[in-house]
Amino acid sequence: MVTLKLPKIIGHRGAAAYAPENTLEGIHTAADLGIEWVELDVKLTRDQVPVIFHDDTLERTTGAGGHVAETNYEDLRHLEAGSWFSEGFAGVKIPTLEEAVEVLLERNLGLNLEIKPCPGRERETAEVALDALSQIWDEHDRLLISSFSHVSLEAAFDLAQDWPRGLLLPKDWPENWADLADYLKVSSINLNGNTCTREQIEEVADLGLPILAYTINDLDRARLLRSWGVDGFFSDAPDLLREVVERMH
Ligand code: G3P
Ligand code: MG
């Protein structure tokens, strides 16, 4: 079994406060800041190419119409995903999972890959992404596969039992979250650090699993979560959290 070496800070979607989310530039930015891991979202194009992208629709970050699940990679690869963030990033593209991993390996970064399936593609997305990953990544102590979808996590379990998984909990927790964590044999609980309560953190702590909180861009909130027992943070501005985690043991 793989012993997961989780960091205390994970750059969210790369380093989304400083570079367009889920891009190679974002990964480089996190590495330049000295961050050890990044979180990236993966989903499938219509023709099943795993790409690093958050939304189901293209509009917000590319200005194009349509849905990722209805767009072939050949069309998606021409889109521009940087200028919505700032003109300095004009021309930046949507990376494939493979292209992102190349940069992660080059920059010696760990990866939290969030399986972010378009509706109805929960199992397929995990299967295709993990298959692609299995051919290019072998540092399983620096890899965490996570998802809000328990179908995606179950597929990840079926395909690669010894790859660490993280159960993502939304603002409103499913009633059976602890059973899911047990059934899916997850290695971490990744929860919404902006909405969770102290009582919830204490409930999770009873499972004895590491607790990661997303998406924390505020030092006071980070300090409070830390005092409640949170082990690590996802942040768009990961460098800012250093002073909080430096006090962590
Ligand atoms: O994995 C943590 C976080 O990324 C989950 O929410 O919507 O930013 O993917 P979201
Ligand atoms: Mg995410």
Side-chain angles (χ1 to χ4, degrees):
M1 192 63 193
V2 176
T3 306
L4 180 60
K5 292 185 202 146
L6 276 178
K8 295 190 172 73
I9 306 176
I10 299 177
H12 185 238
R13 307 184 196 177
Y18 305 126
E21 64 183 57
N22 286 323
T23 63
L24 302 184
E25 287 68 10
I27 300 171
H28 279 298
T29 301
D32 291 344
L33 292 169
I35 299 305
E36 294 166 287
W37 280 48
V38 292
E39 184 261 4
L40 301 171
D41 304 292
V42 68
K43 63 205 312 131
L44 300 182
T45 61
R46 178 181 182 166
D47 48 347
Q48 289 202 325
V49 176
V51 291
I52 303 300
F53 202 80
H54 181 273
D55 298 358
D56 289 343
T57 54
L58 295 162
E59 168 69 27
R60 181 175 60 90
T61 57
T62 73
H67 288 73
V68 178
E70 291 162 8
T71 307
N72 284 327
Y73 178 65
E74 182 53 28
D75 296 320
L76 184 131
R77 78 186 185 89
H78 295 296
L79 297 177
E80 194 274 328
S83 56
W84 72 277
F85 184 85
S86 77
E87 272 316 305
F89 287 102
V92 162
K93 301 293 187 196
I94 300 168
T96 61
L97 173 60
E98 202 175 335
E99 288 166 342
V101 167
E102 263 174 44
V103 175
L104 294 170
L105 294 174
E106 177 197 327
R107 301 300 306 260
N108 196 26
L109 292 173
L111 171 64
N112 170 209
L113 188 66
E114 182 187 340
I115 311 287
K116 192 70 117 183
C118 291
R121 303 187 88 182
E122 289 80 8
R123 189 165 187 96
E124 183 190 7
T125 304
E127 286 178 352
V128 173
L130 265 68
D131 180 53
L133 204 53
S134 70
Q135 297 172 42
I136 44 182
W137 185 280
D138 56 13
E139 292 184 88
H140 298 149
D141 58 344
R142 291 210 298 166
L143 172 69
L144 180 68
I145 304 292
S146 65
S147 191
F148 288 109
S149 162
H150 64 264
V151 175
S152 295
L153 285 177
E154 192 176 27
F157 178 81
D158 292 344
L159 281 166
Q161 282 196 25
D162 58 339
W163 291 16
R165 288 168 298 284
L167 177 63
L168 265 165
L169 293 176
K171 176 171 177 280
D172 298 315
W173 292 14
E175 230 166 78
N176 60 345
W177 69 271
D179 292 338
L180 281 174
D182 182 48
Y183 168 69
L184 297 165
K185 295 195 171 45
V186 297
S187 299
S188 72
I189 301 290
N190 304 1
L191 48 75
N192 187 324
N194 294 305
T195 58
C196 68
T197 63
R198 181 179 197 144
E199 289 67 36
Q200 286 180 313
I201 301 284
E202 286 169 359
E203 272 184 69
V204 178
D206 286 346
L207 297 187
L209 293 173
I211 305 171
L212 302 177
Y214 67 90
T215 302
I216 304 302
N217 298 327
D218 178 82
L219 286 183
D220 289 337
R221 185 69 187 174
R223 284 190 199 100
L224 185 65
L225 289 168
R226 178 58 203 143
S227 74
W228 291 351
V230 163
D231 297 289
F233 305 98
F234 297 93
S235 182
D236 296 323
D239 55 325
L240 292 186
L241 293 194
R242 268 205 196 100
E243 71 169 76
V244 177
V245 305
E246 269 160 17
R247 292 157 204 259
M248 291 162 66
H249 310 295

